[in-house]
Amino acid sequence: MEVDKVETQNQQQKHKQVHLFYCLESEELARKVAGHSDLITLQSINWRNFDDGFPNLFINNAEDLRGQHVAFLACFSSPGVIFEQLSVIYALPRLFAASFTLVLPFFPTGSFERMEEEGDVATAFTMARILSNIPISRGGPTSLVIYDIHALQERFYFGDQVLPLFVTGIPLLKQRLHQLPESDKIAVAFPDDGAWKRFHKLLDHFPMVVCVKVREGDERIVRIKEGNPAGYHVVVVDDLVQSGGTLVECQKVLAAHGAAKVSAYVTHGVFPKRSWERFTHKNEGKDLHVIRHGECICLFLDNRFMPSHCESHSK
């Protein structure tokens, strides 16, 4: 009996129950995550506003969180939603939680990580400082999970009160590529040296093509720096895409050098001002160089950036 009791305790320690909270934009993703494990219990927050527009928030079942492992799935999709989510993020660890984990799939200021001239504001550092002030839980510092942050050195922007964990979506890409027909004829292309440095070690069993942006007059043109795409299904890999212009330029130069097919993978598709529309069928006749769904796989890991979301948030 005593042995069985110890074994049960050991199993409980290995498999911890997690109470998962989420913001409104992440609800669909949170339900998918919870559907994969009986150890995840979804919890809810009342996201309301006072008449003056400021948040009026309430964490449901707060007393039940004492001594429990708590996580929050965030989505900093715009400056307007960050304050209300931070209010909850700062409150949850104070409820005597055994541990607190913040999952922030997209670190939105990650590409603004350095100064090029005096007066530039490195907002990646600002965001890191804000998140570094999350109160510690009963179990210690907050675990902060971020997917494919723009620059790995941003780890050093965070203080000691949080433990940043940088993970990548590349394993999902590799899994998808191996499922494709003629997977032995796939090559990986990087739009610049930065993307190559970031991801080439994770994809080193594929033939590689490295592109580079060069200035010709007032224009920046994409050229192939090394590698040969001829005859391959080439997948352009990067951490994020803004307007998509670089992807289109890469498709043009890769096709001109004999690529049989061009696809794209990015972890985060930002697509401001409805720029995702250039990747839809309705633009086939307007842009001869659009990457068409019928000819490629366009994968965007962060599901909040799919067109249905963009239509409702970029008007």
Side-chain angles (χ1 to χ4, degrees):
M1 290 290 293
E2 189 66 28
V3 173
D4 291 340
K5 183 178 180 180
V6 172
E7 180 66 25
T8 300
Q9 291 175 342
N10 289 338
Q11 291 296 323
Q12 290 175 344
Q13 291 176 354
K14 291 180 181 178
H15 305 288
K16 298 176 180 178
Q17 190 77 30
V18 176
H19 296 265
L20 177 61
F21 291 86
Y22 51 88
C23 65
L24 291 174
E25 289 179 286
S26 295
E27 180 175 359
E28 181 181 355
L29 179 58
R31 294 191 181 280
K32 290 180 180 179
V33 171
H36 284 278
S37 175
D38 294 333
L39 297 173
I40 300 175
T41 301
L42 284 183
Q43 300 288 356
S44 62
I45 295 166
N46 293 339
W47 302 93
R48 303 165 300 191
N49 290 311
F50 291 108
D51 291 340
D52 60 4
F54 279 87
N56 176 16
L57 308 170
F58 185 82
I59 300 171
N60 295 308
N61 304 315
E63 292 187 359
D64 297 337
L65 302 180
R66 295 173 182 174
Q68 302 297 311
H69 300 283
V70 178
F72 182 79
L73 180 57
C75 179
F76 289 0
S77 60
S78 68
V81 301
I82 292 177
F83 176 73
E84 64 180 11
Q85 292 183 49
L86 282 174
S87 299
V88 171
I89 290 167
Y90 275 44
L92 286 172
R94 292 181 175 275
L95 296 176
F96 212 67
S99 69
F100 180 61
T101 299
L102 171 61
V103 181
L104 181 62
F106 178 48
F107 190 71
T109 59
S111 58
F112 307 101
E113 84 284 8
R114 61 184 181 272
M115 294 174 57
E116 295 185 354
E117 62 177 313
E118 193 67 35
D120 283 341
V121 178
T123 51
F125 181 63
T126 306
M127 182 66 71
R129 292 183 68 183
I130 292 172
L131 295 175
S132 295
N133 283 288
I134 298 173
I136 62 173
S137 66
R138 193 187 75 174
T142 292
S143 298
L144 172 60
V145 181
I146 298 174
Y147 273 84
D148 288 316
I149 197 165
H150 185 66
L152 290 177
Q153 64 266 26
E154 292 176 48
R155 174 187 308 276
F156 305 107
Y157 292 0
F158 294 89
D160 293 337
Q161 281 193 217
V162 295
L163 301 175
L165 174 62
F166 295 163
V167 292
T168 179
I170 295 298
L172 296 177
L173 170 65
K174 292 168 67 175
Q175 179 183 359
R176 180 70 179 96
L177 294 181
H178 287 306
Q179 294 171 350
L180 295 177
E182 299 184 353
S183 58
D184 58 328
K185 293 295 292 180
I186 292 175
V188 171
F190 302 102
D192 50 42
D193 284 329
W196 177 83
K197 292 176 182 177
R198 186 77 171 80
F199 296 119
H200 80 277
K201 291 183 179 179
L202 301 174
L203 297 162
D204 58 2
H205 57 289
F206 290 102
M208 293 188 182
V209 178
V210 181
C211 298
V212 63
K213 297 176 184 177
V214 297
R215 186 171 295 280
E216 293 187 0
D218 295 332
E219 297 183 359
R220 297 193 70 184
I221 308 298
V222 174
R223 295 282 185 258
I224 292 178
K225 178 181 177 182
E226 59 183 83
N228 183 9
Y232 284 100
H233 174 186
V234 183
V235 182
V236 183
V237 176
D238 207 352
D239 62 320
L240 62 86
V241 58
Q242 290 280 348
S243 67
T246 298
L247 288 183
V248 172
E249 292 301 314
C250 285
Q251 187 263 350
K252 290 163 62 176
V253 71
L254 291 167
H257 283 77
K261 184 186 298 186
V262 179
S263 301
Y265 168 88
V266 296
T267 306
H268 308 292
V270 182
F271 295 128
K273 298 181 180 179
R274 301 177 64 89
S275 53
W276 53 267
E277 289 183 341
R278 69 168 66 193
F279 295 95
T280 61
H281 284 294
K282 69 179 182 180
N283 272 334
E284 273 190 54
K286 300 178 182 178
D287 187 346
L288 295 177
H289 305 290
V290 69
I291 302 176
R292 291 158 41 193
H293 288 297
E295 296 181 354
C296 73
I297 49 170
C298 292
L299 302 178
F300 305 106
L301 178 64
D302 196 336
N303 73 333
R304 74 180 183 87
F305 296 113
M306 296 308 288
S308 59
H309 174 91
C310 294
E311 281 189 311
S312 61
H313 284 81
S314 59
K315 294 180 179 178

